[in-house]
Amino acid sequence: IISLLLVILVSILLRSYSISTPNFYFDEVLNLDATTGFIHRTGDAWVTASFQPPLYNWITSVPVKLLGISEFSIRVSSAIFGTLTILLLYFFGKLFYDKKTGFLASILLMVLPLHVLYSRFAFTDTIHGFFVLLSIFFIELTFFNKNPNVLV
């Protein structure tokens, strides 16, 4: 468990170190515009930008509302979900194989350059990837696994 906590700590550091630089990319500006439009719009919570899934705006609106509009506030959600994906991958590997395989898989994802990069920017891919993996994990856990104590 200590080694898993160390992986999570290193993951947080890799994804959050100097997260406010560089300045916004074009896609991040569109995502920020959709999120701030969602925050300031009164009315239906389901109505968001036509190119943006509502869950992404709901998730990113919390730090933007709490911290204001900045590179950090729009990117922190991706960093959090990127780190949670690493933790989830550990449990996924543990479910299919054993603790060692889950640990190795989480280490590999922790240092995968593309995952680190996408976890540092306000793109929808990291958050979507987390929820896809979470869905597959719970399908496997619910329908195919005979051991309900896999998370322990």
Side-chain angles (χ1 to χ4, degrees), residues 15-57:
R15 283 150 180 78
S16 63
Y17 176 75
S18 190
I19 196 172
S20 297
T21 55
N23 293 331
F24 287 122
Y25 287 104
F26 179 73
D27 287 345
E28 289 182 302
V29 173
L30 293 176
N31 292 339
L32 180 63
D33 184 53
T35 300
T36 54
F38 173 75
I39 291 171
H40 299 297
R41 184 184 316 112
T42 57
D44 192 4
W46 287 100
V47 178
T48 62
S50 61
F51 58 89
Q52 200 67 274
L55 183 61
Y56 179 79
N57 288 330

Side-chain angles (χ1 to χ4, degrees), residues 6 37 44 71 80 89 95 117-118 127 129 132-133 139 143:
L6 184 63
D44 192 4
E71 286 90 350
I80 290 169
L89 189 63
L95 175 68
L117 180 70
Y118 272 65
I127 295 175
V132 166
L133 190 62
I139 288 170
F143 293 113

Side-chain angles (χ1 to χ4, degrees), residues 55 81-96 102 105-106 109-110 115 124-142 151:
L55 183 61
F81 278 91
T83 303
L84 289 175
T85 303
I86 293 166
L87 182 64
L88 181 59
L89 189 63
Y90 166 78
F91 289 116
F92 206 86
K94 182 181 169 189
L95 175 68
F96 278 109
S106 64
L109 188 62
M110 174 186 71
H115 192 266
T124 60
D125 302 334
T126 307
I127 295 175
H128 289 163
F130 170 79
F131 282 110
V132 166
L133 190 62
L134 184 68
S135 300
I136 295 168
F137 178 76
F138 279 121
I139 288 170
E140 175 65 27
L141 190 66
T142 304
L151 296 177

